[in-house]
Amino acid sequence: MGLTGDQTGPARSRERFLEGGPVETGVRGPILNSWLRCRLLGLSPDQAELPYRDDFDPDSRLVRAAGPVLDQLQNRFSGSRMNIAVTDADGMVLQRRFGDPSLARSLAPIQTVPGFVFAERYGGTNGIGLALAERRPVRVYRAEHFAERAQSNACCAAPIRDQLSGHIVGVLCFGYPYAYEHPDLAGVLGRAVGTIERRLMAQSSARERGLLHAYLDAERLARPTAAGPDGTPEPDGADVPDTLLGPAGLGLDPHDRAVLKERATELISSGRPGTFGVSLPRGGEATLLSRPLTSGTGVDGMVVEAVIGGDGPPPPHPAPDRSAGPVRGLVLVGEPEVGRYAVEARRRLELLAEASTLIGTTLDVGRTARELAETAVPRLADYVTVDLPESVLRGDESAAPGAELHRTVVHGIRDDCPFYPAGQNVELLAGTPHMRCLTSGHAVLEPELAAAAGWIAQNPERARDLLDHGVHSLIVVPLLARGVLLGIASFYRSQDPAPFGDDDTRLARELAARAALSIDNARRYTREHNLALALQRSLLPRGLPEQGAVEVAHRYLPAESGVGGDWFDVIPLSGTRVALLVGDVVGHGLHAAATMGRLRTAARNFAELELAPDELLTHLDNLMVRLDREEGGDEAPGSTGIVGATCLYAVYDPTTRQCTMARAGHLPPALVHPDGRVTFPELPAGPPLGLGGLPFETAEIELPQDSTLVLYTDGLVEDRHRDIDVAFDRLRGVLAHPDRGPEETCRAVMDAMAPEHPGDDIALLVARAHTLPPDRIAAWDLPADPSKVGDLRAAATRRLADWGLDELAFAAELLLSELVTNAIRYGGEPIQVRLIHDRTLICEVSDGSSTAPHLRRAASTDEGGRGLFLVAQLAQAWGTRYTPRGKVIWAECALDAA
C-alpha cells in the first residue's frame, strides 16, 4: 500500500489535480475519490480551521472501553513521535495519547487537544475522515493529505464498530512521521480496534446482567421467605419460585420455546408493555406479559414473562404450587435497542432465505434485475434502481460499464419519485457514489445524501427533488459475477429516519451477489439464445423467390425458452410449378437449428432433382438415419443424437391446379376455399423422419382457383394450456375469411393463435393459389416422325406471334428443333410439346423414355453431341424431370432474351 519515499508521484498528481489537470494513474482510488469530494465541498488546501466542540462526554462508553487500550498503545510506542487518537462517529477527537509525552507541549492544539473534528467535509483527506468515508481501515501518506498542514505526516486509521448493532461508533487513528512507517502498524491497529470493540460488547452484557439482577431482586422481595425442614429460612436461591422458571421449566418442547423467545424479542424491541396471547406450534396457548424494568445503575429495559395454563393472566405473584393454577416463567430480559437489533438480524436472515427463491426465477436479464428490486423493497430499501450496460442486456460482456449504463429498473414504494426513468441512458460523473462503486468494485455507502457532494453534483436539481421526497440515505452495490462487472444496484431509504449502516450494506451486497449470479446466467443464456437464433435465421429463407404459381406470406416466431428446429421453404420448380415445405426438428438449441439447416439444404437439393413428394421424404428419412448414426453412435458417446423430425411437402402445378402432397408425421395443412369454408385435407400421415425403412404416400387434390393453402408447425396449435381440438376450431374460425390476402392472414393467425410466451417455435406459410390462364399454354402431340418437326416450328412461331413474343421465335425454333429431334431419335412415344407463357417462356418436350440426356463436351471429330450444348447456351435454365410415363426435358428463355 505504500508509495515511494520522496512522494514525487502523489505530489505531482496532487498539484495537477488542484490545477484542474488530468490525474496520473499512480494515485490510489480511495485517495482520488476523497480529493474529488473535497473539491466538490469547496475545501481549500491551505484551510487551517477545524471545528471545535466542547460538548463531548469525557466518560462515555467508548472512552471507558478505549482508555486501557490507549494506555497500552502509549507504552508500546514509548519514546516515539506516535500520536494516537480516538474519535466518535462524527470524527471528533475524544482522547489522545503520545509515545513521547513532550509532544503534547510542542504540537499545535489541533493535534493535541480533544474536541477538534477531523471529518472529511472539514479537514479534507486525512486518516480519520477517510476511515469514516470508506468505512474500512485506511492509510494516508504525506502528499495524499488534502490539507497543506499534514503534508509531512502519515497516518493509518480504522473504524470502531458496536458489535451488537454493527454501527460505527468511532475511529482509532495512528499519526506519525512518514519515516516511522512499518508494515506491522496495520496489525497493531487492527488488534487494538478489536480489543476496544470487545470491551464495548462487555459493557452491553453488563447492562443486561444488571437488568436481570434487578428482575430477580424484585421477585425475591415480592415473595415470602421459604423455610427449611427445621424452620430456618433457606438461603437466597435455594427455592426457585415459579416466576424464575425459564421456558424449559414450563414443560414446553423446543419448538414452543423458540416461538416464545421470538415473540418476546419482538416485544422487547418494540418497548410495548402489555399482555399478548401466543398460539404454540404443538397446540395450546400462552400469554406473554411485557413490562418495563430499570436496573440499579439506571438502565431502562423490558422483561417478558410467559403464563401457561388457566383462563387468563394470573395475578402478578401467583402461588408457587403450579398444580393449583397457571404457571409463570421468565422468557427474556433486555433493552429495547438490543432487541431491535436481534429482530433486524432475524429479518435479514429471512430476507436472504427468501431471496434464493424470489431472484432468478427466469432466464431474462431485465426480469431478474426487477426481482432484485422487488425483493429489497420495502424490507431493506424504499427505492431500488438497477443500471446495466446495454451490452449485458444483449447477452455480452461490457468493456466499459460506466460508459454505456442503461437504467433498467426503477422500483419503489411510490411511482412519483424523480429518479432517472427506466429505459434512459445514465452518464455518471467522476466522484459520484455510483462511479466510485464501478471503478473500485466495492459497495459504497452514503449515510447522509444531503452531505454527499459527489451525489449532488451529478444532477443538483434532481438531487434536491429527491431530498424533498424524503430520500436521505444510499447504498450502491456492484453486480459482480464470476469476475465480470455487470452493472450496479442502488438502494435508497426515505421512510425510516435512521440512515443505512454497515449491516444494511452487507445485506445489500449479499442480495446483489445472488442477483448478479442470476443475471450472469441470464446473460449467458441470452447470448447463447441469440447465437442459436442468429444461426437459425441464417438457415431460414431470407427472401422468397419470384414465382407466379402462388402468392406467399410467412411468419416465424422462435420459442421463448430456446431456439428450435422449425423451418419452411418455397422452391420454384420447372413448368411454373412450386414446392411448399414446412418441417420441425425435435428438440431445441444449436443442435436442433443445425439439423434443421441440413434438412432444409437437402430438401432443396432433392427438390432440384424433381423428385416426387414421397420420394423426397424417403431421401430425407435416409439422411436423418445417417446423421443419427454419425452423431449418436458408439464412437460419439457424449452426443445426444438426432431424435427425429416431421415434414410436409407439397407441389402445386398452376397449369392443372393439382397439388401433390406427402407428410412425415406432420400436421395436415388447412385449405381455405373461396366461399370461406376451411377444411383439413386427409393425407396419409407417414412416419416421422429418422425411423428408417417405412414408406411414404402421396395424395393429390385439386385446389380451387383463389383458394389458400396454410402450412404450419405444431407450435401454432399445440400448447399445454389448451386442448388441440379447441385450437383447431379456433384456427378454422380465424382462417374463414377468404377476402384476406396472405399477409393479412398471417397477421390474423399469429395474433389469435400464438401464445404470449411460446414454448415451441412457430413456422407459418400461407399460399394463395393462382391458375395459369389456358390461353397462355399451347400443347401439340407429335408422332415419332422427323418430317413433322417443321410443322411444329411453324405452329410454335404462330403462337409466339399471338403472345407478342416474335423476338423469341428464332431461339424457340432452335430449342424445339433440338429437343424434339432428341425425343424422336432417342425417346419413345407418346411425344408431346408444350409452350408456357409465364414469367419466362418455357419449352417442354415429353416422351415415353426414362433415359435422360447429359451435356457432354464433343470432340472436334464428333458429328453429334452439340445439341444440348446449344440448348444450354440459348436457355437461361434447362433440365429433366421424370413422370410416371417417361420424362420431360424443359428449357426456359427469358422474355427479354431477344
Side-chain angles (χ1 to χ4, degrees), residues 516-774:
L517 190 60
S518 297
I519 289 174
D520 192 50
N521 290 338
R523 178 191 66 81
R524 290 168 178 249
Y525 168 78
T526 301
R527 180 183 60 189
E528 295 178 2
H529 181 76
N530 290 341
L531 288 175
L533 188 59
L535 172 63
Q536 186 180 47
R537 291 194 182 278
S538 69
L539 298 174
L540 289 172
R542 297 189 180 183
L544 298 181
E546 291 187 4
Q547 45 78 39
V550 291
E551 180 186 353
V552 180
H554 62 88
R555 290 291 187 278
Y556 173 77
L557 181 64
E560 190 175 75
S561 59
V563 173
D566 292 18
W567 88 95
F568 64 91
D569 212 343
V570 178
I571 308 171
L573 302 177
S574 63
T576 71
R577 298 172 307 135
V578 66
L580 305 174
L581 178 68
V582 292
D584 182 6
V585 175
V586 176
H588 292 85
L590 287 173
H591 185 70
T595 303
M596 176 272 290
R598 292 178 176 181
L599 283 179
R600 177 174 175 257
T601 301
R604 290 189 69 90
N605 292 333
F606 294 147
E608 291 291 337
L609 297 176
E610 301 281 1
L611 297 178
D614 56 338
E615 294 181 37
L616 183 140
L617 292 182
T618 299
H619 282 285
L620 290 180
D621 183 45
N622 293 334
L623 174 64
M624 287 289 289
V625 172
R626 289 196 300 273
L627 291 176
D628 190 36
R629 187 180 303 117
E630 293 172 0
E631 300 190 15
D634 295 338
E635 65 279 4
S639 174
T640 59
I642 299 174
V643 178
T646 64
C647 183
L648 172 62
Y649 184 71
V651 177
Y652 174 64
D653 187 346
T655 64
T656 61
R657 299 208 308 271
Q658 294 296 316
C659 185
T660 306
M661 293 181 280
R663 62 187 179 121
H666 204 84
L667 295 172
L671 179 61
V672 183
H673 295 262
D675 60 359
R677 289 185 302 113
V678 179
T679 61
F680 296 91
E682 291 292 336
L683 305 179
L689 300 178
L691 296 182
L694 298 176
F696 299 94
E697 299 180 63
T698 61
E700 192 172 276
I701 62 175
E702 182 176 323
L703 300 185
Q705 187 170 357
D706 294 328
S707 60
T708 300
L709 192 65
V710 181
L711 288 73
Y712 50 89
T713 55
D714 57 0
L716 185 69
V717 293
E718 292 184 2
D719 187 81
R720 62 181 179 178
H721 301 296
R722 61 184 176 186
D723 185 82
I724 190 170
D725 293 330
V726 175
F728 272 116
D729 290 341
R730 189 173 185 181
L731 178 61
R732 182 182 284 108
V734 176
L735 293 176
H737 296 275
D739 54 324
R740 290 176 179 157
E743 188 64 33
E744 294 175 331
T745 301
C746 275
R747 187 182 305 113
V749 169
M750 295 301 289
D751 290 344
M753 302 294 298
E756 183 177 356
H757 302 287
D760 194 7
D761 290 16
I762 297 176
L764 176 65
L765 187 63
V766 178
R768 170 162 289 182
H770 294 322
T771 303
L772 194 66

Side-chain angles (χ1 to χ4, degrees), residues 64-127:
R64 293 199 305 271
V69 179
L70 294 180
D71 292 339
Q72 293 177 7
L73 290 173
Q74 185 177 25
N75 292 332
R76 180 186 181 95
F77 297 113
S78 176
S80 70
R81 297 183 62 81
M82 180 66 70
N83 186 336
I84 308 164
V86 168
T87 77
D88 64 9
D90 294 325
M92 181 179 64
V93 176
L94 302 176
Q95 288 279 303
R96 283 194 181 273
R97 297 287 193 278
F98 300 95
D100 182 356
S102 64
L103 288 175
R105 297 188 297 271
S106 60
L107 294 177
I110 197 174
Q111 295 178 284
T112 58
V113 179
F116 284 96
V117 181
F118 284 82
E120 188 181 70
R121 62 180 179 271
Y122 304 120
T125 308
N126 67 88

Side-chain angles (χ1 to χ4, degrees), residues 280-292:
L280 300 177
R282 301 300 184 183
E285 297 284 334
T287 302
L288 291 182
L289 306 177
S290 174
R291 56 189 175 88

Side-chain angles (χ1 to χ4, degrees), residues 61-278:
R61 292 181 58 209
L62 178 58
V63 171
R64 293 199 305 271
V69 179
L70 294 180
D71 292 339
Q72 293 177 7
L73 290 173
Q74 185 177 25
N75 292 332
R76 180 186 181 95
F77 297 113
S78 176
S80 70
R81 297 183 62 81
M82 180 66 70
N83 186 336
I84 308 164
V86 168
T87 77
D88 64 9
D90 294 325
M92 181 179 64
V93 176
L94 302 176
Q95 288 279 303
R96 283 194 181 273
R97 297 287 193 278
F98 300 95
D100 182 356
S102 64
L103 288 175
R105 297 188 297 271
S106 60
L107 294 177
I110 197 174
Q111 295 178 284
T112 58
V113 179
F116 284 96
V117 181
F118 284 82
E120 188 181 70
R121 62 180 179 271
Y122 304 120
T125 308
N126 67 88
I128 295 172
L130 191 59
L132 290 173
E134 294 290 327
R135 308 182 73 82
R136 55 193 174 98
V138 298
R139 290 193 179 190
V140 182
Y141 303 94
R142 299 172 63 182
E144 292 180 334
H145 289 87
F146 190 78
E148 296 285 355
R149 63 172 178 269
Q151 295 294 295
S152 60
N153 295 325
C155 61
C156 58
I160 302 170
R161 287 180 169 83
D162 185 333
Q163 295 290 293
L164 197 61
S165 67
H167 296 163
I168 291 177
V169 296
V171 172
L172 178 62
C173 180
F174 294 168
Y176 47 88
Y178 181 73
Y180 194 75
E181 172 64 27
H182 194 279
D184 290 344
L185 281 179
V188 174
L189 178 68
R191 289 189 293 272
V193 167
T195 303
I196 296 174
E197 290 175 346
R198 287 191 296 273
R199 290 178 59 81
L200 281 171
M201 190 67 184
Q203 291 183 22
S204 298
S205 301
R207 292 163 66 92
E208 289 196 346
R209 287 196 299 270
L211 288 171
L212 179 60
H213 285 306
Y215 170 77
L216 297 177
D217 292 342
E219 291 297 321
R220 290 191 180 94
L221 291 175
R223 298 179 59 84
T225 303
D230 57 356
T232 60
E234 290 280 3
D236 287 348
D239 179 30
V240 181
D242 293 331
T243 49
L244 298 186
L245 294 173
L250 296 174
L252 302 177
D253 68 11
H255 296 283
D256 292 339
R257 295 201 302 268
V259 169
L260 289 181
K261 285 187 177 181
E262 180 177 347
R263 183 61 176 142
T265 303
E266 294 176 353
L267 292 175
I268 290 176
S269 68
S270 67
R272 289 186 302 162
T275 303
F276 306 89
V278 179

Side-chain angles (χ1 to χ4, degrees), residues 446-476:
E446 289 286 1
E448 299 180 17
L449 284 177
W455 178 77
I456 295 174
Q458 171 71 26
N459 189 324
E461 182 177 353
R462 190 178 295 271
R464 285 193 297 271
D465 289 343
L466 287 171
L467 293 173
D468 291 343
H469 279 75
V471 176
H472 62 83
S473 194
L474 165 67
I475 301 172
V476 187

